[in-house]
Amino acid sequence: MSMVDQSRGPGRVLRRIGVGLVIFFGLIVVLSSWYTIDEGEVGVVLRNGAVQDVAGPGLHFKTPLIDDVVTMSTRTEKLDLPQVAAYSQDIQAAELYMSVNYRIVAGSAKEIYATLGVNFADRVLLPTLLDRTKAVFGHFNAPTIISERTRLVAEITDSIRQAVADNGIIIESVQIENIDFSDAFEQAIEQRMQAEVEVTRLKQNLEREKVQAEIRRTAAQGQADSTVVQARAEAESRALQAKAEADALRLKGEAEAASIKAKAEAMNTNPQLIDLIRAERWDGKLPGTMVPGGALPFIELERSGNR
């Protein structure tokens, strides 16, 4: 009886172990048959290592133990480059502190993973960024880089976008936080900028002096014109006054001449008018001194034969 119980004991244990293993593997199969993808990510489904499909955000199912899922972010990512050595067109060495914001196209995740893997940024984006930055930087001379930094960044951005566009990578922006030239060159640039500022200031002063001189010349010209007008008006006034006086004298002379002529004609036609005038002008007094043979004022009286 004891031997039968002993023989049954190990078999029962093995059966229990087997059932436990079946349940364990069943749980593994069940749990590994579904997966979730978060927002801002896509899942690249691999079957025995080969790319099969791309899954979007949400709950999905897969074949257990055969399929695998690799998630890839479609959010905007940032790649920092703390030191990028480059040379300008005029052979000035510089170090750039820059970064790039990028993201992948969700529909291109399958091709990106198949050709570049999850480390596509290090394999493609980083080398392209370094190469295009140095190439574009070398087309600018150092003073232009300082004065037209915005144009430099825009051209670098366009160049990188064209280079990675076929890979399904979108370059959103490129930032250059700092451009560090040598100390000697930066001092030379500062002195040059100060000289340009001084030249600009002198030019502005010269233009201001020209404007002020023009204002003074215009004012003087206006004053001279006013003086000329005033003198001309005074001359015309004097001329008119002289003409009026001449006309008055002429009219007076003509009047006197006419009067004399009238008197002469009256005397010729009436000789007694002379005696009348004398009588009108005589004051009734005889001269105190008589000159022998001299004429005396007199009035002839008509004598009547009857007197």
Side-chain angles (χ1 to χ4, degrees):
M1 185 69 180
S2 60
M3 293 181 62
V4 174
D5 292 338
Q6 291 179 357
S7 63
R8 290 179 179 179
R12 185 180 299 172
V13 171
L14 291 175
R15 285 196 299 272
R16 289 179 178 178
I17 292 174
V19 172
L21 290 175
V22 170
I23 294 173
F24 175 75
F25 283 108
L27 289 174
I28 292 177
V29 170
V30 171
L31 293 176
S32 63
S33 64
W34 59 275
Y35 62 95
T36 58
I37 302 296
D38 295 335
E39 288 290 342
E41 296 180 344
V42 292
V44 179
V45 181
L46 305 177
R47 179 162 296 171
N48 295 325
V51 178
Q52 294 295 314
D53 195 6
V54 175
L59 177 64
H60 303 275
F61 295 92
K62 64 177 182 177
T63 303
L65 305 177
I66 298 178
D67 292 344
D68 193 10
V69 178
V70 178
T71 59
M72 299 182 68
S73 174
T74 57
R75 302 183 184 94
T76 298
E77 304 291 338
K78 183 177 181 180
L79 178 63
D80 291 317
L81 290 88
Q83 290 182 332
V84 178
Y87 284 90
S88 63
Q89 190 176 32
D90 50 354
I91 319 300
Q92 292 293 334
E95 286 187 351
L96 285 71
Y97 296 82
M98 58 189 303
S99 61
V100 56
N101 293 330
Y102 69 94
R103 62 182 175 87
I104 66 172
V105 179
S108 301
K110 182 178 179 179
E111 290 76 13
I112 292 175
Y113 181 84
T115 57
L116 303 175
V118 294
N119 297 324
F120 63 91
D122 294 335
R123 293 184 179 182
V124 173
L125 187 57
L126 181 58
T128 302
L129 179 60
L130 294 174
D131 178 68
R132 294 305 176 96
T133 298
K134 293 179 179 180
V136 175
F137 194 87
H139 293 159
F140 288 75
N141 57 44
T144 305
I145 291 170
I146 296 175
S147 61
E148 300 185 21
R149 183 166 171 173
T150 302
R151 183 164 69 90
L152 171 67
V153 174
E155 292 191 12
I156 291 176
T157 303
D158 292 340
S159 180
I160 297 173
R161 282 174 177 169
Q162 295 175 4
V164 300
D166 295 338
N167 295 323
I169 303 173
I170 297 176
I171 303 298
E172 293 187 346
S173 63
V174 174
Q175 299 83 29
I176 298 180
E177 285 79 11
N178 188 36
I179 301 176
D180 188 11
F181 289 99
S182 64
D183 294 339
F185 176 75
E186 289 181 352
Q187 291 177 358
I189 290 295
E190 183 178 359
Q191 293 174 356
R192 177 178 175 180
M193 296 299 292
Q194 292 177 351
E196 291 180 354
V197 170
E198 181 65 17
V199 170
T200 301
R201 187 183 67 82
L202 293 176
K203 287 182 178 179
Q204 291 175 348
N205 292 338
L206 179 61
E207 291 298 326
R208 183 172 62 253
E209 292 294 333
K210 288 181 178 179
V211 172
Q212 293 177 350
E214 182 65 21
I215 293 174
R216 291 193 295 268
R217 186 190 67 80
T218 303
Q221 182 66 35
Q223 185 176 1
D225 292 342
S226 177
T227 302
V228 170
V229 172
Q230 183 178 359
R232 184 176 300 170
E234 292 177 355
E236 291 178 354
S237 176
R238 289 194 296 269
L240 291 174
Q241 184 178 359
K243 185 176 183 300
E245 292 176 355
D247 291 341
L249 291 175
R250 180 179 57 79
L251 293 175
K252 183 178 180 182
E254 291 178 354
E256 291 178 353
S259 176
I260 294 171
K261 182 179 179 182
K263 289 180 179 180
E265 291 178 352
M267 290 178 181
N268 289 333
T269 57
N270 190 2
Q272 295 178 351
L273 181 60
I274 297 175
D275 295 334
L276 177 61
I277 294 173
R278 288 177 180 176
E280 291 175 349
R281 294 182 178 179
W282 185 42
D283 57 1
K285 297 178 180 180
L286 294 175
T289 303
M290 299 297 293
V291 180
L296 293 175
F298 63 91
I299 300 174
E300 294 184 355
L301 299 176
E302 293 184 356
R303 294 180 178 179
S304 172
N306 296 326
R307 287 186 177 182

